[in-house]
Amino acid sequence: MTNPEIAVLMLAIFVLSILLGFPIWITLMAMGVFFGYYAYYDAERMQTVFDNQIFDLLVNQTYSVMANDVLVAVPLFLFMGYVVERANLVDRLFVTLQIAARRIPGSMAVAALATCALFATATGIIGAVVTLMGMMAFPAMLKAKYDTSFSAGVICAGGCLGILIPPSIMLIVYAAASNVSVVRLYAGAILPGFMLAGLYMVYVIIRAMINPKIAPKVNEEEVAHITTWEITKMMITSFFPLAFLILSVLGAILFGLATPSEAASMGAIGGLVLATVYRIGNVFAGRTVVDWSTRQIGDRMSLIGCLGWGALMTILGYFIFLVGRAILFGIIGGGESVDPNLPVGPGLSIVIALVLAAAYHVTGGNLPLPKQLMPTRAAGVSMVEFAGAGAIGGIIIGTVMQIYIYIGLQVGFVDSYLTESNLWAMEIGYFVGAGAWLGFKVTDWDRLKESVYLSVRTSAMVCWLFVGSWTFSSVFSYLGGHDLIQEWVLGANLTPITFLLLAQFIIFLLGWPLEWSEIIIIFIPIFLPMLAYFGVDPLFFGILVALNLQTSFLTPPMAMAAYYLKGVAPPHVQLIEIFKGVMPFLMIVFLAMFILYQFPGIAMWLPDKVYGN
Amino acid sequence: MEKLIFTIDNLTAWVGKAFAWCIMILTLGVGYEVFVRYVMRDPTSWAFDISYMMYGALFMMAGAYALARESHVRGDVFYRLWKPKTQAKVELTLYITFFFPGVIAMILAGASYAMKSWRYMEVSVMSPANIPIFQFKTIIPLAGALLLVQGIAQVCRCIICLRSGKWPAHLEDVEEMEKVLLHQHEEATKAGEAR
């Protein structure tokens, strides 16, 4: 057998062994090692059985996954997703949107779609979205006499939008597999993503208008008494924070402010802040009871509390100043020449904080500041006390540091370049201590642990798949497999359109038994080298694939979305009803792909506009 | 044998979870970089190296943990339809023919790769901060060794399943939201039927 034939044999054996249900990365790695050992076998240069280049190749491929600067964003976005998922925002989101959309036909379906889309985009975890919505929105829709199939289709289809609308993990993985820049992919996927969500909504509204029986109107009396102000308030607490989180991550990427990993870390920090703020809100509202919210408080703030309050107010002031300055210079330009330091000399910030603390202590809280900034409840008092304790701890560390550096400079075991940071040591200790201890005490550590452990497991899943796949595919292409497949495809004299149709059809078929991660990491690289020949932009192809892979969750036998929904639905709901409901949405996905093919500008316009050609 | 499985599971889960906290260092480190670069306009020289090192360390060292928790993706179209005994037979064969050769290759090759790096105390070329990366390269054989140990536990699982016809239980651990909810729902339905 010639080498390319061996390569084809390797692919065939691999496809067969996938069906055995063994973890796929292990199969890939083993195939790579076995066939690579054969491919690189060189009897003359061999002194021991281990003298074979395949071993270097395996390690090099592993290391290139480990040091890949695109895949860094994967654990970060996963972490953001799990943090948001565990923060329990989804039920309030659905209720709010349902009330806000009450005048639209099929309002609950529209609200469910919007909730799914938003939540799926922020978390990117399809299973969680579909099960959560299946337990919360699905029974509510059935109770409101919505058609079973129709409601099931809405939830399944809506939940899958998370892998398309950026920031999505799938696009990062595609970027790592295809060397298209992540930011361009994200920019490209935004409009098609919103287009698909929009098409879903239009479909839902039209169906509800044509046939009101499947989506009855909301009982007017039930919602009539809710005022606009109340709705606004609900939107502010449930809808906007999540939308803001997504938009800020997207905005940071689109306006070139940050690389994907930087934007992802902003997203993760934003998610942590969001989760903590929600938790604090729940503690204040009495929905969550913790030991620091139920303690007795005296009439006057303790000294530690005053110190903490002063520190927090100073941090808040500086934060507003710094971010405001950054935004201001971002708008009017010329920020490069700005002195990066704080506007005041070292030590003065502590004085400001201490003066604020003293003022609070002397006046007993009767300061000419908004009353909202004064803690009155036990939880609030505890929080400023945490900050105060942290600030005291921090300043002690800072002082010790300062003395150490001072003595070190005299004696000579510290270099003189530390003098600058020496001056700031107390300052940093004071404020970082206050913020860190406060954050440490109010964080829900159980939830955080769960998010950390789940994100590391899912990252391991994605990234080990890359380790296996890159080993496999470099052996495959060394043997000439890619060239052979390319020869076949090019020999078939396809036109670009038939090639595109064929490729998408194969990906669609692969989506029946497989999930997106395997398809993108293992099979997409086979198509990629041919794109240039047919003049297809890999970015455009990627967006088409992203649309197409929506179906991989919805088509049997591995329709994960439908199974998750079936798993949590009331027992009388049949799987076949769910599939029936999903069908129209599958058609809409194909329609969206057709529209995208006819008007590639939907995908290409934004990246070209923002990043040029 | 079950004791051995749980000891190994505990070990790999402990290592995986310990390295999982790299995600916090990664998040805060990159977040700090964003802050000093875009707000203070004074970027660090180390954040980039730290970011990929934390990422690489966390996913590599969690490989065995993910294997124990069945988090690695399988093409389970047919697999999930089989009886546990058939599943165990197939898995046992594949662990011996695929898993151990692959992982042992990774350990041996990774060890010589890391040793080469240790010999001249290699530093990163990505930034001027001269951040050492030999310890980062050592992660490859270490992660391989963890996988090897976990593989032994997985083989034990297969053997138990072959004997008893049932997959042995896992340690209690945090699960994906959908699994938790599906399980809760199942329990509730069962309780409802019992009543």
Side-chain angles (χ1 to χ4, degrees), chain A residues 182-463:
Chain A
V182 184
V183 287
R184 287 183 73 98
L185 261 175
Y186 272 0
I190 289 175
L191 288 180
F194 285 140
M195 178 181 79
L196 187 63
L199 284 174
Y200 283 171
M201 284 201 191
V202 169
Y203 164 76
V204 163
I205 293 172
I206 291 176
R207 269 294 292 274
M209 267 161 46
I210 296 173
N211 187 357
K213 236 188 270 168
I214 62 162
K217 276 216 147 149
V218 194
N219 195 342
E220 280 292 331
E221 287 160 20
E222 267 178 42
V223 288
H225 63 276
I226 298 170
T227 60
T228 322
W229 169 238
E230 272 174 315
I231 295 174
T232 321
K233 227 166 64 182
M234 287 170 80
M235 292 287 267
I236 288 173
T237 55
S238 64
F239 176 76
F240 289 120
L242 214 49
F244 180 75
L245 180 68
I246 296 169
L247 288 179
S248 56
V249 172
L250 279 188
I253 293 174
L254 277 187
F255 295 106
L257 264 180
T259 62
S261 56
E262 289 175 344
S265 84
M266 289 284 91
I269 290 174
L272 284 172
V273 170
L274 196 66
T276 310
V277 168
Y278 264 79
R279 178 172 151 87
I280 292 172
N282 280 339
V283 167
F284 270 76
R287 281 190 291 269
T288 308
V289 178
V290 284
D291 54 356
W292 47 269
S293 72
T294 48
R295 47 173 282 233
Q296 291 290 320
I297 47 165
D299 294 339
R300 279 179 77 94
M301 179 67 81
S302 63
L303 208 54
I304 287 183
C306 292
L307 284 173
W309 187 83
L312 289 180
M313 285 305 117
T314 317
I315 293 174
L316 185 68
Y318 277 144
F319 185 74
I320 293 171
F321 171 78
L322 285 172
V323 172
R325 190 179 65 176
I327 292 172
L328 201 66
F329 283 117
I331 295 166
I332 60 174
E336 304 305 328
S337 58
V338 176
D339 177 17
N341 285 327
L342 291 172
V344 290
L348 203 57
S349 316
I350 291 187
V351 174
I352 296 174
L354 289 179
V355 167
L356 281 172
Y360 191 96
H361 188 67
V362 171
T363 59
N366 279 327
L367 287 170
L369 269 170
K371 274 275 175 247
Q372 275 75 9
L373 294 177
M374 307 286 173
T376 49
R377 274 179 266 200
V381 173
S382 302
M383 280 169 59
V384 290
E385 285 184 0
F386 292 148
I392 292 173
I395 205 168
I396 291 171
I397 297 171
T399 314
V400 171
M401 203 53 208
Q402 195 145 21
I403 293 169
Y404 167 78
I405 292 172
Y406 183 76
I407 295 172
L409 281 174
Q410 304 300 318
V411 181
F413 59 83
V414 171
D415 284 335
S416 58
Y417 70 87
L418 274 169
T419 15
E420 174 72 5
S421 46
N422 175 24
L423 297 170
W424 292 94
M426 283 168 78
E427 206 108 13
I428 293 165
Y430 193 81
F431 293 109
V432 173
W437 189 242
L438 174 62
F440 184 83
K441 291 299 268 189
V442 299
T443 302
D444 189 340
W445 283 92
D446 291 337
R447 290 268 168 74
L448 184 64
K449 262 187 210 163
E450 289 175 2
S451 319
V452 167
Y453 299 157
L454 285 174
S455 37
V456 77
R457 258 151 59 184
T458 313
S459 316
M461 185 272 277
V462 173
C463 299

